[in-house]
Amino acid sequence: MPPVARLGTGIPLVARSREMAGLRAALDEAARGEAGAVLLAGDAGVGKTRLVEELAAAADALVLTGRCLDVGETGLPYLPFTEALGQVREAGLLDLEARPALGRLLPELALPVSPDSGLSGLPSHLVGRRPEQDVGQLQLFDAVHGILGELAESRPVLLVLEDLHWSDASTRYLLSFLLSRLRSQRLLIVGTYRSDDLHRSHPLRPLLTELVRLPAVRRLDLTPFSAIDARSFVAALSDDLPDDLVLEVAERSDGNPFFAEELIAVATCGSGIPWTLAEVLLARIERLSPTAQHVVRVASVAGRSVRHDLVRHVAGMDDTALDGALREAVQHHVLVVARDEVFTFRHALLREAVYGDLLPGERVRLHSAYAARTAELSGRGSAAALAHHSLESHDLARALRASVDAAQEAQAAGAPAEALRYLEQALKLWQAVPAADRPAGVTELLLLRRASWVAGTAGQPERAIAFARSGTKLVDAETPEEAAEMWRRFAQALQVIDGNEPEKAAAIEEAWQPVRDRPASPSRAWVLAVWAAQLRQDRKYAEARERAEDAVRDGRAAGADAAVADALATLGLLDEAAADVPSARSHLAEAVAHAVEVGAVDTELRARYFLGLHHYDLGELTDAARVFDEGMARAKETGLSWSSYGLELRILQVLTRYYVGEWEGAAVAAEPPGLRVSSTVSARLAASGTHVLVSRGEFEQAERLIGELRADWHRDLQIAIITGGTGAELALWRGQPELAVDRVADAIAWSRREGGDWALSGIRLSALGVAGYAELAARARRRRDRTAEEAAVAAGRDLADYARTTAEMGSPRTGSLGPEGRAWLARVAAEESRLGGTSDAARWRAATDEFGFGSVFEQAVCRWRLAEALLAADRRDDAVAELRLADEVADRLDAAPLHDAVHLVARRARVALHAETTRTRVDPFTPRERSVLSLVALGRTNREVGEELFISEKTVSVHLTRIMAKLGASRRAEAVAIAFDRGLLDPA
C-alpha cells in the first residue's frame, strides 16, 4: 500500500493564536453570563473546522455540534440543530414531555399530523398587517430557545454550527431567532461558513448583514497562512520532505492548510505536484485500488455522508469486498467514520471533486440506483432524498410524487421555507408529468393553495399572493368548496400587504359565490368568518355582524369549530364598536373558551388579546393585566410566545404592568434594554420597555435605546408612537424642552402619515409637546425674550387645539374616547394653563382625577404639578398632601426623576414630606435587598427569587453581591446566618 501522509489534526495548531484567543475570550464571557455568537468566516480548507475543534476540546462546557449539508444531500430541514439535539438526548438531558415541539427535530419520532396543513385556521384579522406565521415553526423556535437556556443554567453551552453557507432557509431563520435573543444565557454559538462561496445573490449574505449588527454577534475572519506560517505548517506536517519541496508545497498551497495536506500527500509519492486543487484531490483518489475508487465514486453521489447499507446496495458488492474498499478509503483519509454505519468525506471539497469527475451517464445511473433504494425506505427525510435522486436521474413522475410528500413532511416539521421549495418543484414538474402518473388526490389547485400558504408563513407575502392569484385562474365551478377555499386564500394573502383593499374585497366576494347557495360546510363557514372580519375592518358594521352570525351558525352545523371561535371574536369587536360592553365581553370570553376547547391556539390567543384590549380601552387595567398575564401564560405553554398575537399580548402586558405600577414585572416582560435591536419583534418589545427606563431615570441607557429605535420606526407605527413619547419625556426630565418638542413633532408627523390625521395617540404626544412649549415659554420669560415667549405660547396652543380636534375626529375602538384618552386630554388642558406662566390648579386636579382609573405614575406626575399650582395659589396644606402622595408613589416605584422633582418643590416651599420618627435600628438594606434576602433565607434559588419578584436572575445576583458586601459575607448561606445573628431577619 502506498505511504499515507499525516493530517494537520495530528500536529499542534499552527499560527492561529490570535483567533483562538478571540474564541476563548468569547467562551469565557459566555461562562460569565454574557451570551454571544461568533461567525467564523474563511475560504474552503483554511482550517475553520480545526479551529472550532480545538476550542471544543479545551472548553469547560457542554459542547453541541451540528453541520449543514448541501441542498439535496439531506431531506431534513434544521439539520445542524437536529444533530445538536441528538447529542442532548444521548446525554439524557432532553425532556420531550416538557418541550414536545422538539420532537420535530428528531428523525426517529413521528411528526405531528396536520389535517389541512394549517389552511383552515388562517388569521382573519391581523393586527397592524402582521405577516402570516407557521404555528409549528414558532413552537419549534421557542422550544429550541428554551432548551438552550435551560441547559445553560447548569453549565456553559458551546453550540457549533458548521458550513452555514449550505444552511437551508429554516435553519437560517432559527439561527436569526436565537442570535437576536442572546442576552444573559451562558451560551456561545459559533457558526462557520465559506466566505469564498458567498456570491452576490447567496441567501446567507443578507442574513449575515443583519446578524453582525447585533451587539452579541461578532465576525472573525480566518485568513490563509502567511508565507512563513505556511512553511512552518508544511515542515511540521511532513518532517521527511526535502527543504526545497517544503518551500514548493508551502508556496503552491497559497496558505491553505487543506491544500497543503493534499499537496504533501501527492508529493510523498514522488509523482510530481499537480497545479490545480481538483487535480491534487483526484490524485489522492487515484492512489486507491480500483475497487476502493468505485466505492468512493458511489459514495459521492449520496452526498457528504452516506450510510453503509446504501453504499452496499448501490455499489452491488459483497460485504467482504465492500469492507476492504471502505477500510482503504478510511486509511487514506478520503472517508472518515462519522458514527455508526455512516461514512463521511473528510472534506467537502474532496467529495465535490469526485462527484464532478463522474461521467454524465454514470451520474444518472447512480442517482437512479439511489432513488430505487430510497423508495423502499420510509424514514424522516426519505421523501426529500427520493425527490432529489429522482430529479437527477430524470424520473420526473417519481420526482413529482416525492416532492409533494417532501413538502408535506417539511411543513409538519415546522419548516415552511423547505415546504415551499418542494411545492415549487412539484408545480414545475406538474405539466411535464402525464395525468395518469400524477399522485392521487392531488391537484394543481391544491398545490397552488398550499404554496400560497407556506410562502406567506415563510415570510414571502408577494409570492403568496402570486401563487393564490394563479390558483384563482384554475378554479372549477364543479368543485365549489375548492373554488371558495382558493379565493379565500387569495383574499387572506392580500391582507398582509397594504394598498389593495378593492382587490381584497373583490376576492372575498368571489369566494362567497361558489358556496352561497350550498349547505353549511367548513369552507362556507370560513369564508363568512373572513368576510365578517374584513367588513369590520372597513367599518361596515351591520354587514359584518350579519356575516359573523352566519359564520357561527354554519360553523356549528358543519363542525368548523375554529371558524366559530374566529367569528365569535369578530362579534365581540363589533359589540365593542357599538358600545355594548356586556355583549362584547360575553362574545370575546366565549371565543376564548371555544378556541381552548377545540385546540385552536392561534385563534385563542387572538381572542385573549382582544378581550384584554377591551378591558384596557375601558380603563379596567387590573382586569386587563389579568387577561394579558393569562394569555402570555398560554402563549408560553403552547410555544407561541413569539407569534403575532403572543407578541401583541406581551407588549400590552408590559404597558399594563407599567401603568398599574408593577415596574419590575414590566421590565421582565420586555426584553432587556440598552441593546441594539434589528427586528420588529425586538424593536417593539424594546420600545415598550423605554417607559420604565425613562421613568426610573436610567437616562443614558434610555437615550441610547431611543436613538437606535428611531431607525426602526418604519417597522411598526407603535415603535414611533411609544418612543416618540418616551423620547419627549426623557428630554423634559433632562431639561431639554426644545428637544422634547422636536421629538413630539417628529412622532406626530410620522403618525399622521402612517396612521391617518387623527390617530388618538396624538393626544398623549400633544400633552408632552405642550409641556415642552410651557418650559420654553418660561425660559423665554426668565430671559425677558418676548418674541420667543409668544412663539412658544402660540405653538403650544396650536398643539392643544390639535389634541382637542383629534379627540373629536378620531375613531376609538369602543365608539367613544376611553379613560386613558380623556386623562391625556385633561393633561393637555392642564399643561396649556402653564403656557401663560400661571398654572391652573383646577385643571391639574381634573387631570389627576382622570388618571385615577389606574395609571399610577401619570397620576403622581399630575399630583406634582398640582402641588406647584396649589403652592402658587397659597394653598400650602393642600399642596403638601399632594406632594406626599406623589412622593410615596415615586419611592415605591423607584422613579428617581419624579422623586427629585417632588423634593425640589418641597425644598423650595420649605415643606417637610416625612414626619420625623425615632429610629430604633438602622436597616442596612434597601426594600428590594430585604425581599431578596428573605427569599434566599427560605432556600430559594436565584432563578426562583427572580420569578417571585419579577426581576431577572442577573439582577438577583447583583442584589446578593451587595447584601454580602454589607454583611461581610463570602457566601449566600453565610449572609443569611449573619443576618439572623444581627436580628436583621425574622426567625419565624
Side-chain angles (χ1 to χ4, degrees):
M1 181 181 292
V4 178
R6 195 161 39 154
L7 295 179
T9 51
I11 63 173
L13 197 63
V14 174
R16 297 301 190 197
S17 57
R18 181 184 65 84
E19 291 85 353
M20 277 304 303
L23 288 172
R24 285 171 178 155
L27 186 57
D28 289 342
E29 290 174 2
R32 293 195 298 268
E34 299 175 29
V38 178
L39 299 174
L40 184 60
D43 294 346
V46 80
K48 301 182 293 296
T49 297
R50 173 69 193 281
L51 200 64
V52 295
E53 286 176 349
E54 289 286 327
L55 175 68
D60 183 16
L62 173 63
V63 179
L64 307 173
T65 60
R67 184 187 299 274
C68 303
L69 294 179
D70 199 358
V71 174
E73 292 186 25
T74 175
L76 293 175
Y78 307 111
L79 180 64
F81 291 100
T82 293
E83 293 182 355
L85 189 66
Q87 295 156 27
V88 175
R89 194 180 194 195
E90 289 174 4
L93 301 174
L94 182 61
D95 182 2
L96 281 175
E97 290 186 3
R99 302 185 190 278
L102 293 176
R104 299 174 189 269
L105 293 181
L106 298 174
E108 63 271 22
L109 299 183
L111 288 168
V113 177
S114 179
D116 193 21
S117 305
L119 291 169
S120 295
L122 301 178
S124 63
H125 32 258
L126 299 169
V127 177
R129 300 294 191 222
R130 297 281 170 266
E132 298 172 299
Q133 296 180 313
D134 182 271
V135 171
Q137 186 175 59
L138 288 166
Q139 291 172 327
L140 175 60
F141 284 16
D142 191 79
V144 173
H145 179 261
I147 189 65
L148 289 175
E150 185 178 299
L151 292 170
E153 290 178 1
S154 57
R155 61 185 300 193
V157 175
L158 171 62
L159 174 61
V160 178
L161 307 172
E162 292 204 66
D163 296 329
L164 290 175
H165 52 280
W166 284 327
S167 59
D168 57 89
S170 295
T171 293
R172 294 194 297 272
Y173 292 153
L174 178 50
L175 179 66
S176 176
F177 181 92
L178 294 175
L179 265 56
S180 64
R181 287 158 181 78
L182 292 175
R183 296 295 180 259
S184 58
Q185 309 98 319
R186 294 195 296 169
L187 170 66
L188 176 66
I189 299 176
V190 178
T192 72
Y193 64 93
R194 288 188 195 172
S195 52
D196 53 334
D197 266 17
L198 298 191
H199 50 78
R200 182 169 296 180
S201 59
H202 196 288
L204 187 63
R205 284 179 69 96
L207 175 62
L208 292 174
T209 302
E210 285 290 318
L211 293 181
V212 296
R213 295 175 183 169
L214 296 171
V217 179
R218 69 192 77 174
R219 172 174 165 159
L220 181 61
D221 290 306
L222 196 61
T223 58
F225 288 147
S226 67
I228 294 175
D229 292 333
R231 286 197 295 272
S232 299
F233 178 79
V234 174
L237 195 60
S238 185
D239 50 18
D240 56 348
L241 283 180
D243 290 344
D244 59 338
L245 199 53
V246 168
L247 292 175
E248 183 180 359
V249 168
E251 182 179 350
R252 293 272 297 279
S253 70
D254 289 328
N256 187 296
F258 177 69
F259 197 4
E261 290 177 2
E262 297 302 314
L263 287 169
I264 291 172
V266 176
T268 55
C269 296
S271 56
I273 301 179
W275 281 97
T276 67
L277 178 59
E279 290 175 336
V280 171
L281 296 174
L282 291 175
R284 175 186 284 274
I285 303 301
E286 289 167 0
R287 296 173 61 201
L288 302 175
S289 67
T291 303
Q293 289 186 44
H294 172 64
V295 169
V296 169
R297 285 183 166 83
V298 168
S300 73
V301 176
R304 176 80 184 272
S305 298
V306 61
R307 296 205 316 267
H308 183 276
D309 63 309
L310 279 176
V311 176
R312 181 179 58 205
H313 180 87
V314 176
M317 300 170 58
D318 62 68
D319 289 343
T320 302
L322 178 62
D323 289 344
L326 288 171
R327 183 177 294 106
E328 184 179 348
V330 170
Q331 288 175 342
H332 280 77
H333 307 308
V334 174
L335 299 176
V336 296
V337 181
R339 54 186 184 273
D340 292 345
E341 300 292 319
V342 175
F343 293 86
T344 299
F345 279 88
R346 185 172 68 85
H347 199 284
L349 290 174
L350 193 55
R351 180 259 167 186
E352 292 167 14
V354 175
Y355 184 74
D357 193 51
L358 294 174
L359 296 173
E362 184 182 14
R363 190 177 301 170
V364 170
R365 178 178 56 78
L366 289 174
H367 274 297
S368 180
Y370 273 109
R373 177 58 178 167
T374 306
E376 301 171 0
L377 306 176
S378 59
R380 183 98 66 91
S382 58
L386 178 58
H388 168 67
H389 290 302
S390 299
L391 200 59
E392 291 296 324
S393 60
H394 311 313
D395 187 344
L396 302 188
R398 185 155 59 183
L400 172 61
R401 293 191 298 272
S403 296
V404 172
D405 292 341
Q408 186 71 22
E409 185 177 290
Q411 195 170 346
E418 277 55 60
L420 177 60
R421 179 162 67 89
Y422 291 118
L423 284 169
E424 286 184 312
Q425 185 169 285
L427 286 166
K428 290 176 183 177
L429 292 169
W430 188 262
Q431 295 300 331
V433 175
D437 294 332
R438 293 169 184 166
V442 177
T443 64
E444 187 176 9
L445 193 64
L446 178 61
L447 292 179
L448 286 167
R449 187 157 60 99
R450 286 181 174 171
S452 175
W453 168 245
V454 296
T457 58
Q460 302 181 49
E462 292 83 4
R463 294 179 73 192
I465 292 171
F467 281 123
R469 183 179 281 117
S470 297
T472 60
K473 297 175 182 178
L474 298 178
V475 295
D476 188 344
E478 295 183 2
T479 55
E481 262 74 19
E482 195 173 44
E485 289 290 348
M486 191 69 254
W487 279 107
R488 174 172 72 91
R489 173 60 208 149
F490 184 38
Q492 292 184 296
L494 289 168
Q495 280 194 22
V496 183
I497 304 294
D498 286 322
N500 48 35
E501 278 67 23
E503 188 176 19
K504 182 175 63 176
I508 197 63
E509 289 180 10
E510 287 285 352
W512 174 241
Q513 294 305 319
V515 293
R516 168 187 284 186
D517 300 321
R518 293 185 62 79
S521 68
S523 296
R524 195 174 192 271
W526 268 113
V527 168
L528 287 165
V530 173
W531 200 357
Q534 185 173 303
L535 288 167
R536 186 198 67 81
Q537 290 174 344
D538 296 337
R539 299 186 181 277
K540 298 178 181 179
Y541 296 142
E543 294 177 66
R545 182 174 296 278
E546 182 181 347
R547 301 294 184 274
E549 289 172 347
D550 288 345
V552 171
R553 185 184 61 251
D554 275 27
R556 283 175 172 158
D561 298 312
V564 172
D566 194 278
L568 286 170
T570 299
L571 284 172
L573 299 177
L574 291 168
D575 293 333
E576 220 175 32
D580 186 350
V581 173
S583 293
R585 292 182 181 177
S586 174
H587 277 129
L588 289 170
E590 189 180 357
V592 171
H594 201 75
V596 170
E597 182 181 346
V598 301
V601 182
D602 199 39
T603 301
E604 175 196 342
L605 294 183
R606 293 202 303 275
R608 288 186 185 276
Y609 165 78
F610 285 116
L611 180 58
L613 192 59
H614 167 78
H615 288 297
Y616 181 93
D617 286 341
L618 293 175
E620 300 166 352
L621 297 186
T622 301
D623 289 332
R626 172 184 54 78
V627 173
F628 293 140
D629 287 349
E630 291 172 353
M632 276 309 303
R634 280 290 289 158
K636 185 176 181 180
E637 178 184 335
T638 56
L640 294 178
S641 300
W642 301 99
S643 66
S644 286
Y645 282 94
L647 171 62
E648 299 297 340
L649 285 164
R650 176 172 293 198
I651 289 172
L652 281 173
Q653 183 187 46
V654 172
L655 296 177
T656 306
R657 285 180 173 180
Y658 169 76
Y659 291 139
V660 300
E662 295 179 9
W663 285 9
E664 291 290 352
V668 170
E671 285 194 333
L675 301 173
R676 183 174 179 83
V677 292
S678 65
S679 69
T680 302
V681 171
S682 296
R684 293 190 72 209
L685 280 172
S688 65
T690 59
H691 281 289
V692 175
L693 277 181
V694 171
S695 299
R696 276 191 166 166
E698 299 176 32
F699 290 159
E700 295 302 325
Q701 217 171 11
E703 192 72 68
R704 183 170 62 252
L705 184 57
I706 290 170
E708 290 172 349
L709 285 168
R710 180 59 183 83
D712 290 292
W713 280 19
H714 69 283
R715 296 180 182 274
D716 194 286
L717 179 58
Q718 289 299 317
I719 299 172
I721 291 171
I722 293 174
T723 58
T726 55
E729 288 178 310
L730 174 60
L732 288 170
W733 286 124
R734 302 187 91 172
Q736 301 171 314
E738 63 286 344
L739 178 58
V741 298
D742 285 346
R743 284 176 168 171
V744 165
D746 189 18
I748 288 178
W750 190 281
S751 175
R752 296 184 76 168
R753 184 172 72 247
E754 300 295 325
D757 284 335
W758 311 116
L760 294 175
S761 57
I763 300 175
R764 169 176 170 265
L765 290 169
S766 295
L768 299 172
V770 175
Y773 282 118
E775 295 297 326
L776 289 174
R779 181 182 295 177
R781 276 192 293 273
R782 288 193 296 271
R783 295 198 309 263
R784 300 190 178 185
D785 185 341
R786 184 71 177 171
T787 301
E789 180 186 356
E790 290 176 350
V793 170
R797 297 200 188 284
D798 287 344
L799 204 51
D801 288 340
Y802 167 72
R804 285 186 282 269
T805 305
T806 297
E808 295 174 7
M809 302 296 293
S811 301
R813 291 180 60 259
T814 56
S816 60
L817 196 63
E820 185 181 13
R822 295 196 300 270
W824 280 106
L825 195 60
R827 171 85 179 266
V828 169
E831 294 287 2
E832 187 179 15
S833 74
R834 296 177 57 228
L835 290 170
T838 303
S839 192
D840 188 332
R843 292 190 181 187
W844 280 109
R845 171 64 67 190
T848 301
D849 292 343
E850 289 287 357
F851 277 111
F853 71 91
S855 188
V856 175
F857 179 71
E858 298 301 342
Q859 186 181 46
V861 170
C862 289
R863 290 190 188 282
W864 159 52
R865 289 298 190 188
L866 171 60
E868 286 184 323
L870 290 170
L871 286 169
D874 201 24
R875 295 168 57 184
R876 186 180 182 85
D877 291 343
D878 291 340
V880 171
E882 298 300 331
L883 283 173
R884 285 175 175 168
L885 289 171
D887 187 50
E888 185 275 327
V889 171
D891 285 346
R892 175 162 55 86
L893 299 181
D894 197 18
L898 178 59
H899 174 275
D900 293 345
V902 168
H903 280 254
L904 179 62
V905 172
R907 285 197 302 273
R908 287 174 176 172
R910 297 186 178 182
V911 170
L913 293 180
H914 303 287
E916 292 295 328
T917 58
T918 303
R919 293 188 178 184
T920 59
R921 183 181 66 192
V922 176
D923 190 346
F925 305 126
T926 66
R928 176 61 70 196
E929 289 170 350
R930 175 161 292 284
S931 298
V932 169
L933 184 58
S934 298
L935 291 172
V936 169
L938 294 174
R940 304 282 198 276
T941 65
N942 285 9
R943 182 182 180 185
E944 291 168 340
V945 172
E947 290 176 350
E948 199 155 336
L949 297 180
F950 297 106
I951 58 178
S952 69
E953 187 175 348
K954 191 171 183 180
T955 302
V956 174
S957 179
V958 170
H959 283 309
L960 271 176
T961 301
R962 292 173 180 167
I963 291 169
M964 289 188 289
K966 290 178 179 180
L967 296 175
S970 59
R971 293 177 294 107
R972 54 194 286 147
E974 184 183 0
V976 171
I978 293 173
F980 275 127
D981 289 342
R982 296 182 183 177
L984 298 175
L985 278 176
D986 185 357

